[in-house]
């Protein structure tokens, strides 16, 4: 578990965000943008995106460890993320709050917007800034597509479009997403979402903050 901390030792006035490694950069960006210096950050491995059954047990341990370190205020930087309610059970056990929604693709757009577009996006393959940066590491090499491109249809044949949910305005990431759509044979769409519901969640973590 990687740790990115703001304070050199636990400050009882600080709130610890235990988040997914896939949103670490975005959490820190929101913190800097709004001067949320009371937030500390620790992350579970980003690869849990592929192993959602590992999230709840790891979060249970991470919260316990954080309590032992002296953190009184903790929030969970995950949506349900495929845990089937098991993460909610962990949050309830420890009395902590998590990000609302089924996954980051929903809260980046805003959960209300995601729900409203559910039918239209049913066959969409989503990418984020993180997934653009890690496209080769998370998709091409693990799926063997660099060695067996003929498998693309097997893995992605049921998708119709690739939707890039852009947290930032970065032409290089846009190019990665657009090229990925071409590679996978999908229609391309970009949505500039910013940080979506993540911003409000962090700004109000454990009560109103600056």
């Amino acid at each position: 578990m990687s740790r990115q901390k703001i304070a050199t030792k636990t400050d009882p006035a600080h709130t610890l965000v235990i988040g997914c490694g896939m949103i670490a950069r975005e959490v820190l960006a929101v913190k800097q943008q709004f001067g949320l210096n009371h937030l500390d950050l620790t992350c579970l491995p980003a690869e849990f995106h592929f192993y959602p059954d590992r999230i709840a047990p790891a979060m249970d341990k991470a919260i316990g460890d954080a309590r032992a370190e002296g953190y009184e205020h903790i929030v969970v930087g995950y949506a349900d993320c495929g845990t089937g309610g098991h993460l909610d059970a962990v949050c309830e056990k420890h009395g902590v709050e998590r990000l609302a929604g089924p996954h980051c693709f929903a809260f980046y757009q805003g959960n209300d917007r995601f729900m409203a577009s559910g039918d239209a996006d049913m066959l969409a393959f989503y990418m984020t800034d993180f997934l653009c940066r890690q496209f080769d590491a998370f998709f091409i090499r693990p799926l063997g597509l660099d060695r067996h491109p003929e498998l693309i249809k097997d893995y992605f044949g049921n998708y119709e479009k690739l939707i890039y949910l852009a947290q930032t305005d970065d032409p290089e990431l846009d190019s990665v997403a657009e090229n990925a759509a071409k590679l996978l044979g999908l229609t391309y769409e970009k949505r500039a979402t910013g940080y979506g519901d993540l911003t409000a969640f962090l700004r109000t973590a454990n009560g109103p903050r600056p």
Side-chain angles (χ1 to χ4, degrees):
M1 181 169 63
S2 62
R3 174 61 60 89
Q4 301 180 55
K5 295 192 67 175
I6 314 305
T8 56
K9 65 178 181 177
T10 303
D11 184 330
H14 279 211
T15 294
L16 178 65
V17 180
I18 305 178
C20 172
M22 288 179 61
I23 68 168
R25 181 189 294 254
E26 288 70 29
V27 170
L28 293 176
V30 172
K31 173 197 167 296
Q32 182 177 19
Q33 181 179 354
F34 293 98
L36 305 178
N37 296 320
H38 65 288
L39 295 183
D40 293 349
L41 173 64
T42 187
C43 290
L44 302 186
E47 67 181 18
F48 282 7
H49 175 78
F50 294 120
Y51 308 101
D53 59 305
R54 300 181 185 179
I55 295 173
M59 183 61 67
D60 189 23
K61 182 180 186 303
I63 294 174
D65 290 347
R67 295 288 192 213
E69 289 182 16
Y71 280 102
E72 298 178 10
H73 308 297
I74 299 171
V75 295
V76 171
Y78 272 90
D80 178 75
C81 295
T83 69
H86 291 293
L87 183 57
D88 283 333
V90 170
C91 291
E92 184 176 358
K93 170 185 174 181
H94 292 283
V96 300
E97 181 185 6
R98 72 160 173 87
L99 268 161
H103 40 62
C104 65
F105 308 127
F107 69 67
Y108 275 144
Q109 296 183 81
N111 283 298
D112 290 342
R113 179 179 178 184
F114 172 77
M115 293 299 294
S117 62
D119 290 341
D121 292 349
M122 187 66 68
L123 299 179
F125 175 72
Y126 289 110
M127 291 185 67
T128 63
D129 283 12
F130 176 90
L131 290 175
C132 285
R133 294 188 183 96
Q134 302 295 330
F135 185 67
D136 285 345
F138 263 61
F139 296 108
I140 298 298
R141 292 199 295 273
L143 296 177
L145 301 182
D146 53 337
R147 302 181 304 279
H148 301 285
E150 68 275 9
L151 294 176
I152 288 175
K153 290 185 178 181
D154 293 329
Y155 287 118
F156 297 94
N158 291 325
Y159 293 105
E160 293 182 349
K161 59 183 175 180
L162 184 152
I163 300 177
Y164 169 33
L165 306 174
Q167 284 69 71
T168 57
D169 184 14
D170 187 328
E172 290 188 9
L173 298 183
D174 192 21
S175 179
V176 170
E178 191 168 1
N179 288 334
K182 293 177 181 177
L183 175 67
L184 303 179
L186 304 176
T187 301
Y188 179 63
E189 179 182 343
K190 177 182 178 180
R191 295 178 187 171
T193 65
Y195 305 117
D197 292 346
L198 177 64
T199 297
F201 176 78
L202 294 175
R203 294 189 71 183
T204 58
N206 289 110
R209 299 284 182 162

